[in-house]
Amino acid sequence: MQVAVEISLYPLSDDFEKPVDTFLSLLANNPSIEVEPGKMSSIISGELADIMQALSQAMEEVFAQSPAVFNLKISNCCPV
């Protein structure tokens, strides 16, 4: 099933750029999904299973670096 995810990352540390860069790099290196970075949030599109696996791995890496908050919306009816 094709879905789109709008996701925002809020690192709770002084060095907030590094976790964001890490997160976007990990997602961008995954050929199974498409990532469109934005100034306030990013859009990820592709197969639901591929996205959820990629998000899980990337979020785990960010959480290992610093405390953070993720905010996301998932839709199967809003094409990108």
Side-chain angles (χ1 to χ4, degrees):
M1 167 186 315
Q2 289 284 318
V3 299
V5 178
E6 179 183 14
I7 189 164
S8 300
L9 166 57
Y10 305 99
L12 303 176
S13 63
D14 292 335
D15 183 18
F16 60 87
E17 291 178 357
K18 183 178 178 188
V20 172
D21 290 341
T22 297
F23 182 69
L24 290 174
S25 293
L26 289 168
L27 292 177
N29 287 333
N30 187 323
S32 301
I33 61 175
E34 186 175 324
V35 180
E36 296 178 35
K39 292 187 185 278
M40 294 182 64
S41 63
S42 296
I43 304 293
I44 306 162
S45 56
E47 288 292 322
L48 177 62
D50 294 335
I51 289 175
M52 297 310 285
Q53 181 179 21
L55 283 176
S56 177
Q57 292 170 348
M59 290 170 75
E60 190 170 332
E61 182 70 30
V62 169
F63 285 144
Q65 287 182 14
S66 69
V69 174
F70 285 91
N71 184 12
L72 60 130
K73 294 182 260 182
I74 304 171
S75 173
N76 69 345
C77 62
C78 298
V80 176

